[in-house]
């Protein structure tokens, strides 16, 4: 034992010293992601051949290390926010390019805005999309690995086509135009029983810091995310008997999961729903169901994945809608209610809650780009897009009417002349150490709404205040390449909920076989693991929790994320023979300090008069500048990103009558 430096020894055990793809390496050469890190010569952008995206081998999805909002993507925006950007910036260089529309943000909303605009304004419409990240798609980010020679994909952010509300005709229509029939693809491509057929199911990892002992307890029906879902009474009893919990806590959890108690006898369903909308799920458990306080730790992070905060900050009513237990004796009528922000309606109009592309909605972004710039993403079917190469050097071609310029942070957008009768919009963007300006007939800001006041200082103060209200939800999704998954097989788990641990959810990549893409079938094969964390500060109001979580993310170095991944996997999977130093082949950490769009929370947000909610005041068109992004729908879903793009484009086109 190395007594002198136990840290070094434990680092070796964890494999921290192993040379795996975790930095930004591409084809053996360092691919410096983000223009802020580039040598000045590469920033000139005077000729298109200087654009990073035009360089041979440019392929951001294969980059590992810190992704999501990667280094180089946000520094300029932060200096703009802090008021320091223009002090150091060179005078903007006027570019001769002229567009009908400039779109700020190349996420689903920005790409959809380009689609809707071209559809209505005509194919000759000249459109430029400016995006500050090194890839298009925004949160719909593709993580691409080549493990053991085979292609493996995972979503670095947006995953599902599902949504709590049915897709609107515009959003459903767009999916249809892209060739996406989620229900048909689900039948053809999903393999929901793969893990179940191997005897794997859900497990819970109790960590020693929270529960006094490290213990992984399996197992329930595969595909069930949470302990209790789909489990029989005796299975649940057996599960609890193995958990490091006191008898009293076990008894209370069993009661919450299975007992049919009406805690509000004599009230109607509507009255009960109203009561539940006024207390958090934590308060419901403690004060209404009267469980032992130690029960809370078991449920605390069950809402983190959906809302980025724990049960201390989520209304019990929304937790009922999400399917959390404890309400079975209340006989609540299915369906929505006043003060209820979540409904389980799903992608009801012909969709599927389950189908997902192997890279999540990044395939939707790829399909959108294919429809806008066909030569950039060759192919012609919804199935072949998954493995299609992307020719990044064709995204910003002179010959194209639609162009996508990456690594370009927009720093100013203004109506030229007065806001009332502005004939043009001037957009300035920074790329590396240079600032460029160009003009367009109109602009859609499909970027994060709370950043818009820094880009558009001319906006009315009331509108800026409204935009600032929309605090986005921070999240981290890590993709971990494993040599094989025999340890999961031995432990009979495919997905693990870890209520108290750093990563609250850990799961083998959901199998899907589409086009030429095949998911691993044998536990001996390499696989990708998805691990997620919602950084937050229980006890504070949600917007404060999101701000604290964002700070945490911005100061967490990759090394710490890696250590937390290795440590937690070692502790969870020890009984299955997992060896972090041997079994981890690659790591990508998708850090999203600005993740989900803010959704109002009836426990903390006021009930605004109709039309006065911050997202509605904030998204008001300003001259020839319209505002999109899922933020402007106050909901964090792909259909909303599309709907808001449609609205923003409609607002601009209606200027022409
Ligand atoms: C981890 C995670 C998981 C999610 N999972 C799902 C899911 O399963 N299903 C679902 O429906 N939704 C999911 N969402 C919600 C997701 O936000 C939306 O579905 C959708 O992808 C949002 O698209 P958008 O275009 O509105 O925003 P974004 O994807 O955020 O795109 C906005 C783009 O604007 C860029 N931008 C910002 N400022 C500037 C600037 N100054 N200059 C240039 N560009 C700028 C941003 O970098 C970004 O790329 C998830 C979100 C996250 C973070």
């Amino acid at each position: 034992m190395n007594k002198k430096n136990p840290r070094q020894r434990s680092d070796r055990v964890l494999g921290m010293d192993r040379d795996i793809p975790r930095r930004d390496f591409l084809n053996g050469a360092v691919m410096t992601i983000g223009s802020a890190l580039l040598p000045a010569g590469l920033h000139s952008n005077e000729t298109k051949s200087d654009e990073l995206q035009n360089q041979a081998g440019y392929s951001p999805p294969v980059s590992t290390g810190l992704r999501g909002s990667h280094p180089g993507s946000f520094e300029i925006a932060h200096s703009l926010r802090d008021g320091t950007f223009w002090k150091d910036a060179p005078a903007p260089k006027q570019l001769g390019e002229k567009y009908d529309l400039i779109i700020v943000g190349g996420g689903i909303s920005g790409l959809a805005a380009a689609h809707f605009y071209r559809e209505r304004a005509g194919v000759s419409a000249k459109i430029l999309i400016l995006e500050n990240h090194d890839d298009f798609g925004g949160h719909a980010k593709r993580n691409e690995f080549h493990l053991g020679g085979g292609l493996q994909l995972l979503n670095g952010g947006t995953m599902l086509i599902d949504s709590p509300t049915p897709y609107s005709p515009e959003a459903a229509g767009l999916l249809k135009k892209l060739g996406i029939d989620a229900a048909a693809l689900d039948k053809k491509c999903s393999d929901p029983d793969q893990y179940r057929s191997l005897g794997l199911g859900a497990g819970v990892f109790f960590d020693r810091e929270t529960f006094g002992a490290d213990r992984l307890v399996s197992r329930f029906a595969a595909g069930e995310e949470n302990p209790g879902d789909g489990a029989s009474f005796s299975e649940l009893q057996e599960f609890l008997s193995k958990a490091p919990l006191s008898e009293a806590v076990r008894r209370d959890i069993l009661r919450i999961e299975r007992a049919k108690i009406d805690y509000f006898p004599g009230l109607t369903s509507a009255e009960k729903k109203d009561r539940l909308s006024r207390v958090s799920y934590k308060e419901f458990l403690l004060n209404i169901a009267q469980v032992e306080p130690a029960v809370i730790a078991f449920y605390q992070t069950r809402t983190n994945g959906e809302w980025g905060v724990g049960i201390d900050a989520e209304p019990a009513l929304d937790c009922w809608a999400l399917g959390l237990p404890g309400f079975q004796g209340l006989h609540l009528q299915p369906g929505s209610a006043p003060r209820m922000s979540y409904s389980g309606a799903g992608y009801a109009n012909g969709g599927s809650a389950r189908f997902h592309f192997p890279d999540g909605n990044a395939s939707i972004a790829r399909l959108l780009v294919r429809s806008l710039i066909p030569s950039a993403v060759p192919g012609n079917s919804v199935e072949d897009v998954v493995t299609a190469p992307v020719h990044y050097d064709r995204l910003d071609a002179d010959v194209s009417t639609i162009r996508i310029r990456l690594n370009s942070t927009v720093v100013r957008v203004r109506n030229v002349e007065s806001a009332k009768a502005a004939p043009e919009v001037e957009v300035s963007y920074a790329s590396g150490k240079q600032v460029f300006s160009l003009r367009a007939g109109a602009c859609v800001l499909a970027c994060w709404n709370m950043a818009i006041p820094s880009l558009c200082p001319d906006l009315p103060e009331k509108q800026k205040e409204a935009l600032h209200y929309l605090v986005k939800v921070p999240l981290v999704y890590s993709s971990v390449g494993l040599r094989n998954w025999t340890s999961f097989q031995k432990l009979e788990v495919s997905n693990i909920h870890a209520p108290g641990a750093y990563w609250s959810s850990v799961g083998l990549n959901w199998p899907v076989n589409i086009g030429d893409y095949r998911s691993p079938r044998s536990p001996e094969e390499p696989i990708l693991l998805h691990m997620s964390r919602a950084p937050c500060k229980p006890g504070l109001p949600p917007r404060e929790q999101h701000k604290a979580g964002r700070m945490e993310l911005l100061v967490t170095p990759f090394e710490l994320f890696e250590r937390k991944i290795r440590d937690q996997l070692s502790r969870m999977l020890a009984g299955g023979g997992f060896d972090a130093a041997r079994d981890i082949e690659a790591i990508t950490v998708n850090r999203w300090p600005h993740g989900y769009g803010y959704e109002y929370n009836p426990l903390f947000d006021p009930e605004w008069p109709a039309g006065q909610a911050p997202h509605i005041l904030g998204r008001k068109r300003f001259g020839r500048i319209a505002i999109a992004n899922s933020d402007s729908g106050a909901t964090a879903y792909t259909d909303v990103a599309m709907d808001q793009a449609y609205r923003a484009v409609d607002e601009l086109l209606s200027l022409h009558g």
Side-chain angles (χ1 to χ4, degrees):
M1 177 169 166
N2 183 347
K3 282 189 186 148
K4 274 193 183 150
N5 195 342
R7 175 72 175 265
Q8 259 180 18
R9 185 185 165 276
S10 73
D11 276 7
R12 264 202 305 282
V13 172
L14 290 179
M16 289 296 289
D17 58 345
R18 262 203 66 198
D19 185 16
I20 58 158
R22 57 163 84 82
R23 312 279 177 238
D24 298 323
F25 280 85
L26 177 69
N27 296 336
V30 177
M31 177 178 168
T32 320
I33 298 294
S35 49
L37 301 178
L38 286 172
L42 286 181
H43 290 315
S44 73
N45 221 5
E46 283 174 19
T47 62
K48 288 206 336 85
S49 59
D50 282 345
E51 273 184 29
L52 188 59
Q53 69 198 64
N54 293 339
Q55 294 184 2
Y58 185 89
S59 181
V62 301
S63 296
T64 52
L66 210 44
R67 299 290 297 152
S69 284
H70 55 76
S73 65
F74 58 86
E75 293 81 352
I76 292 169
H78 285 184
S79 71
L80 195 65
R81 174 203 62 194
D82 298 340
T84 53
F85 177 78
W86 288 109
K87 285 186 193 145
D88 305 328
K93 181 175 180 292
Q94 293 294 331
L95 293 179
E97 300 164 22
K98 183 84 201 301
Y99 296 92
D100 295 302
L101 179 71
I102 292 179
I103 297 170
V104 181
I108 296 276
S109 197
L111 297 170
H115 172 94
F116 291 131
Y117 190 90
R118 183 188 57 178
E119 191 171 63
R120 291 177 58 186
V123 287
S124 59
K126 289 195 75 183
I127 303 173
L128 173 67
I129 300 174
L130 293 165
E131 166 59 47
N132 60 336
H133 285 79
D134 58 18
D135 205 355
F136 57 80
H139 293 153
K141 188 177 281 282
R142 173 177 169 111
N143 286 173
E144 181 174 325
F145 294 79
H146 295 265
L147 298 173
L151 171 68
Q152 299 220 18
L153 297 171
L154 199 57
N155 56 300
T158 312
M159 180 187 188
L160 291 168
I161 298 172
D162 189 30
S163 171
T165 47
Y167 270 47
S168 68
E170 289 75 27
L174 179 51
L175 288 193
K176 200 167 171 198
K177 279 176 236 157
L178 296 176
I180 300 171
D181 178 343
L185 286 167
D186 187 42
K187 271 198 200 124
K188 192 170 170 190
C189 310
S190 300
D191 192 355
D193 290 329
Q194 175 175 315
Y195 294 134
R196 197 196 308 261
S197 68
L198 293 171
L200 312 192
V204 175
F205 175 64
F206 297 90
D207 63 297
R208 63 173 174 266
E209 293 85 345
T210 314
F211 297 98
D214 276 353
R215 200 170 303 166
L216 176 69
V217 185
S218 60
R219 84 185 235 283
F220 294 97
E224 303 299 350
E225 282 233 342
N226 297 304
D229 295 355
S232 69
F233 187 83
S234 57
E235 277 178 319
L236 190 56
Q237 251 181 337
E238 197 194 329
F239 163 82
L240 289 169
S241 71
K242 294 181 196 158
L245 301 169
S246 70
E247 259 319 306
V249 170
R250 288 179 188 154
R251 190 194 55 226
D252 277 355
I253 292 176
L254 203 57
R255 172 161 64 85
I256 290 301
E257 297 280 343
R258 289 294 180 272
K260 294 194 171 144
I261 301 172
D262 188 349
Y263 299 107
F264 305 123
L267 297 193
T268 64
S269 168
E271 288 164 343
K272 289 175 186 175
K273 283 184 173 179
D274 184 65
R275 287 270 185 102
L276 294 172
S277 76
R278 294 173 195 278
V279 291
S280 69
Y281 187 59
K282 181 178 174 182
E283 287 165 328
F284 167 76
L285 292 177
L286 283 176
N287 305 334
I288 297 172
Q290 300 197 342
V291 299
E292 287 286 323
V295 167
I296 298 304
F298 184 69
Y299 291 107
Q300 174 59 32
T301 56
R302 286 278 283 272
T303 50
N304 281 23
E306 188 65 35
W307 290 299
V309 288
I311 60 168
D312 56 293
E314 283 306 325
L317 184 62
D318 286 351
C319 293
W320 164 73
L322 192 63
L324 264 61
F327 307 102
Q328 49 277 10
L330 292 175
H331 303 295
L332 300 174
Q333 295 294 318
S336 194
R339 295 173 52 82
M340 178 166 147
S341 55
Y342 184 89
S343 83
Y347 176 29
N349 44 359
S352 156
R354 190 173 51 195
F355 173 74
H356 70 289
F357 290 99
D359 57 1
N361 290 2
S363 276
I364 299 184
R366 288 158 75 90
L367 284 165
L368 277 164
V369 171
R370 175 186 276 174
S371 87
L372 299 169
I373 312 170
S375 67
V377 189
N380 47 32
S381 80
V382 73
E383 297 183 24
D384 70 20
V385 82
V386 172
T387 49
V390 172
H391 299 301
Y392 283 88
D393 58 347
R394 299 194 192 155
L395 291 178
D396 191 12
D398 293 331
V399 290
S400 181
T401 48
I402 301 188
R403 298 167 72 161
I404 302 175
R405 195 163 296 163
L406 303 170
N407 304 303
S408 302
T409 306
V410 172
V411 289
R412 189 169 61 204
V413 180
R414 60 189 184 104
N415 289 295
V416 181
E417 295 182 19
S418 81
K420 278 190 186 147
E424 272 188 334
V425 174
E426 185 189 64
V427 176
S428 306
Y429 69 93
S431 184
K433 293 188 167 64
Q434 300 224 35
V435 182
F436 302 92
S437 280
L438 29 73
R439 294 215 170 174
C443 178
V444 170
L445 297 174
C447 53
W448 301 330
N449 281 196
M450 81 292 157
I452 291 174
S454 307
L455 308 184
C456 278
D458 299 342
L459 281 180
E461 287 308 314
K462 203 174 165 203
Q463 186 167 1
K464 286 196 237 176
E465 200 183 304
L467 289 162
H468 278 307
Y469 193 88
L470 307 169
V471 179
K472 289 176 86 65
V473 179
L475 295 155
V476 203
Y477 278 14
S478 288
S479 304
V480 181
L482 298 185
R483 208 167 62 111
N484 60 49
W485 36 296
T486 51
S487 50
F488 283 81
Q489 189 190 29
K490 281 188 197 129
L491 295 165
E492 301 182 326
V493 287
S494 54
N495 56 296
I496 302 169
H497 175 56
Y502 189 84
W503 303 101
S504 57
S505 151
V506 177
L508 296 174
N509 201 355
W510 286 12
V512 54
N513 300 301
I514 178 167
D516 292 337
Y517 183 82
R518 288 287 163 275
S519 287
R521 290 199 64 81
S522 157
E524 308 294 337
E525 290 178 79
I527 201 164
L528 292 174
L529 202 58
H530 170 80
M531 302 177 74
S532 68
R533 166 175 179 76
C536 54
K537 267 247 174 306
L540 295 177
R543 289 163 69 244
E544 299 311 311
Q545 296 207 36
H546 302 330
K547 288 178 194 166
R550 168 156 38 265
M551 279 316 295
E552 180 202 302
L553 285 194
L554 287 171
V555 299
T556 306
F558 178 82
E559 194 208 345
L560 184 61
F561 287 123
E562 174 171 357
R563 191 180 296 281
K564 295 283 188 189
I565 288 169
R566 290 179 178 277
D567 177 62
Q568 190 169 328
L569 290 179
S570 300
R571 288 163 60 182
M572 288 193 317
L573 303 172
F578 181 82
D579 177 345
R582 182 195 60 204
D583 294 337
I584 293 177
E585 294 283 354
I587 298 176
T588 293
V589 174
N590 297 281
R591 172 186 63 171
W592 297 112
H594 303 283
Y596 294 157
Y598 186 68
E599 297 180 359
Y600 299 122
N601 182 322
L603 289 181
F604 297 90
D605 293 308
E607 283 184 54
W608 287 282
Q612 296 300 304
H615 70 292
I616 295 176
L617 297 180
R619 73 188 186 198
K620 200 160 177 275
R621 180 180 58 76
F622 182 60
R624 287 174 179 263
I625 303 167
I627 294 176
N629 191 287
S630 63
D631 288 348
S632 62
T635 315
Y637 293 95
T638 292
D639 54 331
V640 177
M642 294 172 171
D643 289 343
Q644 295 305 316
Y646 187 86
R647 176 196 46 75
V649 164
D650 191 58
E651 284 173 7
L652 291 175
L653 290 176
S654 49
L655 281 176
H656 302 294

